[in-house]
Amino acid sequence: MAQNDWRKSVVYQIYPKSFNDTTGNGEGDLNGIIEKLDYLKYLGVDYLWLTPIYESPMNDNGYDISNYFKINEQFGTIEDFKRLVAEAHQRDLKIMLDIVINHTSTHHEWFKEAMRSKDSPYRDYYFFRESNDGPPTNWESKFGGNAWQYDDKTDEYYLHLFDVSQADLNWDNPEVRRELHKIVNYWIDFGVDGFRFDVINLISKGAFKDSPKIGKEFYTDGPRVHDYLNELNRHTFGGKDLMTVGEMSSTTIDHCIKYTKPERQELSSVFNFHHLKVDYENGDKWTYADYDFHQLKNILMEWQLGIHQGGGWNAIFWCNHDQPRVVSRFGDDSNEELRQASAKTLAIALHMLQGTPYIYQGEEIGMTNPHFSMMNQYRDVESLNAFQELKRKGYSEDYILKILDQKSRDNSRTPMQWTNGEASGFTSGQPWIDIAPNYKEVNVEQAIEDDHSVFHMYRRLIDLRHNHDILTYGDITPLYMTHDQLFIYRRNYQSKSWLVIANFSKEAVMIPRDLDTEGDIIIQNGTITNDEISGFGAIVIETH
Ligand code: TEU
């Protein structure tokens, strides 16, 4: 296989607002990213995915775009962006942009035009519906409440699957699709190397009917979604050296195979979130619950096998800007030793899987949830809405804080911890959101100096991905799936076989007796003695 096969790459996700601030206003910017390119090169990643940097009222931190052709002033100028691309390319780092085209901000010109009157040509860019007795359907917004917002001027409702400030675009209108193709091509012309498409499996809405669930069945992987993606591919990135990943909400393996099978010309790869809903009680995110280890393993393996056998391609990840920190979630951040051990083991368990690994900023040093104790520390629109909703349901404020500490998206949005100095080296001003208090111990400076840090484990894992075809092209065989603490699997490619054993508990665990662990150690965390693997230990062995 070609050395430069994109399938061998590792992606690093940057949340610019919380990455590095060069102006002192407490929010990160593009120049801040440029400043850290050498660091990212040293880490060894290939692609940098930037969450949205376009003009936006920032109600949902950029996922509410008001002008697709402009850079948000907060982040810098188009000149800064060009410099970022050039500086990244000089270091052989690639840039991936985040494109949010399921919806626009209600501040977007199209929406403002659409709101002027029912006869506006832009009316059909969105979904406006009449209804005499309340919202047109009972669909729920993913950020709480009904998904339809009433506009008293025109006496109609518009659809917003997310916040009321994010109006869904009508992809059934060919004019809309043409406009969206233009946007993608505009950024291709700047020399970017890939795209992440936000909630792209929600773009094709089916029937507008009441739903026994919350409406998902009418718009998730909707009737024309594959046609629209194939069309987008052919009119924009298709046939060019660009890597794409679609964010797929509540999707299925069958659809994801279709989205990513190369001959179908849709996308390169997909994210799904089923493995991250294993701590949702009865499917409800806003609950306080332990995670289900068996469910986690089962879902990961079901997707690994299903996608591989179907000829598709997965993105693999524990963290992103919508998820709590994995070390606080499936690991243990209660003390320094456990934090380090579990962060490394989680990294090994994930990076040996098949697909394209993603690392979210700070994950590479084992950043934790900040454990906020007050409501006024939260900023995220979804968390603020959830707070109101849970209050309405009668939950005590203490209990809501407990839930948010476990589930809020702000858990991953606290500033990057660069040093143990003032504001963790993130800003010379007042950060827009509090920094996690453990930045004195958990920071990049410290992690680089310590050869045994989480950071150096990530470097080694990235290096393995680049240098061993087995990780990219090998099959996967799940083993001992009913084991209560160990996640065990094998990768096989040509005549090679790698055995992966990861202990997801803090206690030492016996390795199953009939598992042959003879061979060469590829990578290890913790100790293996007398057939026992230490708490949060992991090992990868090339068996013969
Ligand atoms: O997120 C889509 C989304 O619905 C997620 O909240 C997902 O359901 C969740 O992670 C599963 O636990 C995308 C963006 O990543 C998010 O930041 C935006 O707020 C949202 O779309 C709307 O654009």
Side-chain angles (χ1 to χ4, degrees), residues 14-34:
I14 296 178
Y15 198 68
K17 191 171 179 176
S18 300
F19 193 62
N20 183 31
D21 172 24
T22 58
T23 65
N25 71 352
E27 299 187 7
D29 43 59
L30 295 180
N31 285 326
I33 302 174
I34 296 175

Side-chain angles (χ1 to χ4, degrees), residues 84-364:
L84 170 61
V85 175
E87 294 270 344
H89 285 172
Q90 241 172 48
R91 291 165 177 83
D92 206 18
L93 288 166
K94 301 183 171 77
I95 299 288
M96 250 172 120
L97 288 181
D98 203 328
I99 304 270
V100 189
I101 44 183
N102 172 66
H103 45 266
T104 71
S105 162
T106 50
H107 291 230
H108 193 286
E109 272 313 309
W110 298 336
F111 191 80
K112 290 196 216 158
E113 284 293 332
M115 287 295 261
R116 270 186 243 278
S117 95
K118 274 188 188 171
D119 305 322
S120 159
Y122 289 94
R123 199 75 175 169
D124 196 35
Y125 271 45
Y126 298 90
F127 296 104
F128 283 91
R129 292 289 182 275
E130 285 182 349
S131 172
N132 296 325
D133 46 353
T137 68
N138 64 352
W139 300 2
E140 270 175 38
S141 148
K142 288 174 188 278
F143 290 170
N146 187 275
W148 295 93
Q149 176 68 20
Y150 180 65
D151 167 43
D152 49 10
K153 191 171 138 210
T154 54
D155 190 25
E156 281 188 343
Y157 292 78
Y158 70 85
L159 179 70
H160 63 92
L161 293 182
F162 292 88
D163 191 58
V164 1
S165 64
Q166 294 162 302
D168 281 63
L169 282 165
N170 176 12
W171 278 65
D172 298 330
N173 177 348
E175 190 59 36
V176 168
R177 302 205 300 279
R178 267 195 295 276
E179 291 290 343
L180 299 178
H181 299 163
K182 263 193 231 160
I183 291 165
V184 175
N185 283 325
Y186 176 80
W187 292 104
I188 289 178
D189 290 344
F190 281 94
V192 304
D193 310 281
F195 296 105
R196 178 252 191 203
F197 290 103
D198 190 63
V199 290
I200 201 70
N201 67 326
L202 308 184
I203 56 176
S204 171
K205 274 75 175 172
F208 289 100
K209 289 188 191 151
D210 271 348
S211 158
K213 296 195 221 150
I214 55 173
K216 279 186 186 181
E217 66 274 38
F218 294 113
Y219 57 75
T220 304
D221 303 315
R224 298 188 62 192
V225 65
H226 293 286
D227 298 337
Y228 293 157
L229 284 178
N230 173 265
E231 183 191 58
L232 175 70
N233 174 310
R234 286 181 291 105
H235 286 88
T236 63
F237 54 82
K240 304 187 176 106
D241 188 17
L242 285 151
M243 202 247 273
T244 55
V245 59
E247 189 205 24
M248 304 297 172
S249 172
S250 302
T251 186
T252 64
I253 292 178
D254 286 344
H255 276 291
C256 285
I257 291 169
K258 288 189 178 157
Y259 291 130
T260 58
K261 246 186 148 140
E263 59 270 31
R264 291 183 56 91
Q265 298 184 18
E266 295 184 32
L267 299 169
S268 319
S269 59
V270 281
F271 291 117
N272 85 82
F273 297 93
H274 296 286
H275 66 296
L276 296 177
K277 294 182 178 170
V278 296
D279 53 5
Y280 290 14
E281 202 172 272
N282 300 323
D284 183 0
K285 169 170 171 168
W286 300 108
T287 48
Y288 181 81
D290 287 336
Y291 86 97
D292 184 331
F293 177 58
H294 292 284
Q295 213 189 349
L296 177 67
K297 287 201 286 188
N298 286 335
I299 294 173
L300 281 173
M301 281 306 165
E302 192 193 338
W303 278 80
Q304 285 281 299
L305 294 169
I307 294 289
H308 184 62
Q309 285 160 6
W313 198 261
N314 262 321
I316 47 177
F317 66 104
W318 288 134
C319 300
N320 68 27
H321 64 292
D322 294 332
Q323 300 291 332
R325 293 285 180 179
V326 71
V327 65
S328 304
R329 191 178 198 180
F330 305 144
D332 193 330
D333 66 5
S334 62
N335 68 45
E336 201 33 32
E337 199 182 327
L338 286 170
R339 181 190 72 83
Q340 297 221 18
S342 60
K344 289 182 222 170
T345 283
L346 286 163
I348 293 172
L350 187 97
H351 282 251
M352 293 298 110
L353 294 174
Q354 205 211 22
T356 303
Y358 280 68
I359 301 170
Y360 175 68
Q361 67 181 44
E363 179 184 343
E364 78 278 18

Side-chain angles (χ1 to χ4, degrees), residues 39 42 365 443-451 453 455-456:
Y39 164 73
Y42 179 56
I365 56 166
N443 60 69
V444 168
E445 205 168 62
Q446 183 280 336
I448 288 178
E449 272 165 32
D450 174 5
D451 284 345
S453 66
F455 176 78
H456 288 290

